Amino acid sequence: MASAPPLLRRRTLLGGASLAATSLLASGCSLQIRSRPDPTIGPDTMLVAGDKGTPTFTANFNPFHANKRTAASILYEPLIWINPLDGELVPWLAESWDQPDPQRIVLTLREGVSWHDGTPLTGEDVDYTFRMLQDFPANDVAGAWGRIDTLEVDGRTIAITLKSPDSPALPVIGQTVIVPRHLWEGVADPSTWRNEEPVGSGPFQLGTFTALQYTLDRFPGHWQASSIDIEHLVYPAASEELDLVTKGYDWAYAYMSDVENTWMAANDANRYWFPPGGIIGLHPNHDVAPFDDVDVRRGLALALDGRQVAEVAAEGYMDEASQSGLLLPNQEDLLDPSLPERGIIGQDTQAAIAAFEKAGFTYDGTTMRTPEGEPFTFAITTANGYTDWLRAVQEVQRELGAIGIAVDIDAPQPAAYEANLSSGDYQVAVGSSNGSDAFQGFSNLMSGEYYVPVGETSQNNRIRYRSAEADELITRYRASVDEAEQSEILHALQRLFHTDLPVIALYYGGLWGLYNQARFTGWPTAEDPYAPLQTYGSSPLLVLTRLRRAQKEAS
């Protein structure tokens, strides 16, 4: 899965108090939990459930660390802001860019940007950041130097030559956050430094920090200062589900069961928006028989009712996923119009049985048997504690049982789950794939470049898929900067994803945004989907430029 997987990070393992509260609300009990906002928080201050103490905070604002404080992504800025919904590239510290050919990128740095200490941000900071990432590869979390051959900075111009024709490298390199040379170059090892007193260029700077709460203050010298209407952000360490429902949070990101009777019922101004952020599906291990047989994979796909799986797993909040490999409706403009039913494969039990029979299986009306005459049984691996995934597997187990296939459920702890997928120690797994960058989703999942046999570890193509057609399409896409040609290649990749079924799409994983519109307006919604409501990653950088204080709007 991706290096910073949102669909994994957003799940919370509910404590006993939270479960009890949810149960009372869902059961129709007369006890109604209501939100009680803190009266000491002013109208210019936002309460954010955006970081979780374990149970308290430690100061780590190194933006390259996996265990950094969430707000580090607001203190530091990337060259290019990438929309997690649809992959749109938005100029940020780089005001513009050009790709004259598939092996060159030229970016132009924005003028008038300064660090929180007032020092101007210049090309020297960009040059330092990339050299530091090259010298300390543990910080190169996006893998920029896996694509870069040379990088030269001349004033505001950043000229990059890639190792090979690689047009999709732009977002990989563009998402790099820039750090101040004058403060970082004296650090002995930036890969282990916790950066407890951060100085960034973002729209907010660190205010106060304690083990139980920290604050960010608006940076008046930011290049978008006129678009920032919020003065302070408050991040408490206590942000479990019961805290979200009762303490008057303005913004949170969490999967909350029965959201209508929990979050929505707690405050009349509470709202939610759950757009798709990835495809949750069955990930067959293509190096393990019989899942290397496309007819077996097709039989599994046709035997399943994606709408029912989505209903059970995500409580009706998310839709059945398209077998196009795209996030719909986010990426509707990329969809191949030749795909039937927008790529959705409907349940067809008889066609499923026929697909298995084509693969040499037999079905006597009770038991599905392998070509060797043994009952067909296999295990699906999911991560312990990911409750929606477990519900999905249980529904898949029930539906496959209807045609005589016995499914066992293997639920190791999340770290063991990740290790098993990386090493190929599984038969079929539930996992998240694809995402806002359509091409990168196909490449990460299907490229033979990332193939390793079972027993060796890989962070991409963990399904061990191999296809000469996929490799040829991926190579062609990388070598093109022509939008029409790239669109045609993406259509071909969708058709291959639909017919060869490297992954069996089930339902869309949600981006679980919760907000309160009483004190702040301008939130992203289905009607205005300018960004997801993630409280982590780069999303807040854009969202915070669009929000307005409700009191000022009213006056």
Side-chain angles (χ1 to χ4, degrees):
M1 300 175 74
S3 59
L7 295 174
L8 298 184
R9 289 179 57 182
R10 59 92 176 151
R11 293 177 177 79
T12 55
L13 306 183
L14 305 181
S18 298
L19 283 171
T22 304
S23 299
L24 287 169
L25 290 168
S27 64
C29 179
S30 60
L31 175 61
Q32 176 65 64
I33 294 179
R34 297 288 291 177
S35 175
R36 296 182 182 276
D38 186 341
T40 66
I41 295 179
D44 62 353
T45 300
M46 175 178 287
L47 187 62
V48 185
D51 207 342
K52 187 181 293 293
T54 54
T56 57
F57 290 136
T58 56
N60 183 347
F61 291 96
N62 186 322
F64 307 107
H65 281 187
N67 62 341
K68 63 182 176 290
R69 296 269 62 86
T70 300
S73 299
I74 302 175
L75 302 175
Y76 294 92
E77 300 178 289
L79 292 168
I80 300 172
W81 186 84
I82 303 173
N83 194 328
L85 289 176
D86 57 13
E88 177 191 8
L89 305 185
V90 177
W92 211 258
L93 290 182
E95 66 178 15
S96 63
W97 55 83
D98 183 35
Q99 284 187 280
D101 61 61
Q103 206 163 343
R104 288 190 296 156
I105 298 171
V106 180
L107 302 104
T108 302
L109 193 63
R110 187 179 299 277
E111 287 187 292
V113 179
S114 64
W115 299 105
H116 294 156
D117 63 3
T119 304
L121 188 156
T122 70
E124 291 185 356
D125 297 301
V126 176
D127 184 73
Y128 165 78
T129 298
F130 278 96
R131 304 299 173 197
M132 180 269 294
L133 297 181
Q134 186 178 32
D135 293 339
F136 297 91
N139 279 358
D140 189 11
V141 291
W145 280 101
R147 322 294 276 267
I148 297 172
D149 184 30
T150 64
L151 181 144
E152 297 179 3
V153 177
D154 182 9
R156 295 167 52 222
T157 301
I158 305 146
I160 297 170
T161 302
L162 304 172
K163 292 181 177 179
S164 61
D166 190 6
S167 61
L170 175 61
V172 175
I173 295 168
Q175 67 183 289
T176 302
V177 297
I178 305 304
V179 297
R181 174 183 176 180
H182 66 288
L183 297 176
W184 280 60
E185 64 181 349
V187 176
D189 187 349
S191 67
T192 60
W193 185 43
R194 287 169 46 182
N195 190 27
E196 296 181 11
E197 298 179 0
V199 174
S201 64
F204 287 83
Q205 55 192 331
L206 184 63
T208 61
F209 185 91
T210 71
L212 298 178
Q213 177 175 288
Y214 65 90
T215 65
L216 303 185
D217 300 332
R218 178 178 174 271
F219 174 42
H222 189 256
W223 57 277
Q224 291 190 98
S226 62
S227 298
I228 307 296
D229 199 34
I230 299 166
E231 291 294 330
H232 311 285
L233 303 175
V234 179
Y235 290 80
S239 57
E240 297 296 338
E241 182 171 326
L242 190 59
D243 298 307
L244 303 186
V245 173
T246 60
K247 293 184 178 178
Y249 278 94
D250 297 294
W251 187 5
Y253 185 86
Y255 177 79
M256 189 173 292
S257 183
D258 193 14
V259 71
E260 294 287 346
N261 288 311
T262 49
W263 174 255
M264 294 290 283
N267 189 296
D268 294 339
N270 280 356
R271 299 289 185 271
Y272 68 92
W273 181 43
F274 299 159
I279 294 174
I280 309 302
L282 297 181
H283 290 213
N285 187 332
H286 292 252
D287 269 357
V288 174
F291 308 107
D292 56 343
D293 189 327
V294 67
D295 290 311
V296 171
R297 301 195 298 272
R298 184 171 295 113
L300 293 172
L302 289 165
L304 298 175
D305 182 350
R307 286 178 297 180
Q308 180 62 20
V309 175
E311 178 70 28
V312 171
E315 302 184 41
Y317 301 138
M318 304 310 300
D319 292 331
E320 175 182 12
S322 167
Q323 191 62 43
S324 64
L326 299 183
L327 304 186
L328 303 180
N330 305 12
Q331 298 169 328
E332 197 83 36
D333 59 325
L334 302 178
L335 181 65
D336 178 8
S338 72
L339 290 180
E341 304 297 328
R342 299 169 70 242
I344 291 176
I345 297 177
Q347 185 181 40
D348 187 333
T349 302
Q350 294 307 310
I353 294 170
F356 281 115
E357 289 176 342
K358 186 177 179 183
F361 286 64
T362 56
Y363 179 59
D364 60 10
T366 303
T367 304
M368 183 71 69
R369 295 186 180 276
T370 67
E372 294 74 30
E374 299 295 326
F376 184 29
T377 179
F378 65 92
I380 298 179
T381 300
T382 185
N384 193 317
Y386 297 172
T387 53
D388 57 332
W389 288 15
L390 177 59
R391 289 193 296 265
V393 175
Q394 290 170 336
E395 178 59 23
V396 167
Q397 183 184 51
R398 187 190 68 81
E399 294 183 11
L400 292 181
I403 58 169
I405 300 173
V407 171
D408 296 322
I409 299 175
D410 181 25
Q413 293 300 315
Y417 163 88
E418 289 292 332
N420 289 349
L421 265 65
S422 294
S423 66
D425 185 15
Y426 71 98
Q427 292 179 292
V428 176
V430 172
S432 174
S433 66
N434 303 75
S436 62
D437 187 325
F439 170 77
Q440 206 61 50
F442 289 124
S443 177
N444 289 347
L445 195 66
M446 301 166 65
S447 174
E449 173 187 0
Y450 304 123
Y451 170 82
V452 296
V454 171
E456 298 181 24
T457 60
S458 176
Q459 296 309 308
N460 291 312
N461 192 3
R462 301 195 295 187
I463 60 175
R464 274 72 184 170
Y465 178 78
R466 285 177 286 181
S467 163
E469 181 181 355
D471 289 344
E472 188 268 336
L473 291 169
I474 289 168
T475 300
R476 281 182 54 206
Y477 189 98
R478 287 175 174 166
S480 175
V481 291
D482 181 82
E483 291 186 4
E485 183 181 16
Q486 289 181 336
S487 177
E488 183 274 323
I489 296 169
L490 279 180
H491 287 176
L493 284 167
Q494 292 170 53
R495 292 192 294 270
L496 182 61
F497 196 84
H498 185 265
T499 57
D500 210 33
L501 298 151
V503 160
I504 298 164
L506 295 175
Y507 66 99
Y508 289 120
L511 300 174
W512 312 102
L514 308 171
Y515 64 97
N516 181 290
Q517 62 179 8
R519 302 192 315 126
F520 302 98
T521 63
W523 298 97
T525 63
E527 292 72 34
D528 186 17
Y530 64 84
L533 280 162
Q534 292 165 303
T535 54
Y536 62 89
S538 62
S539 288
L541 284 175
L542 187 63
V543 173
L544 290 168
T545 67
R546 298 282 292 268
L547 297 181
R548 296 292 176 265
R549 283 184 257 171
Q551 279 190 2
K552 291 176 64 176
E553 291 287 309
S555 63

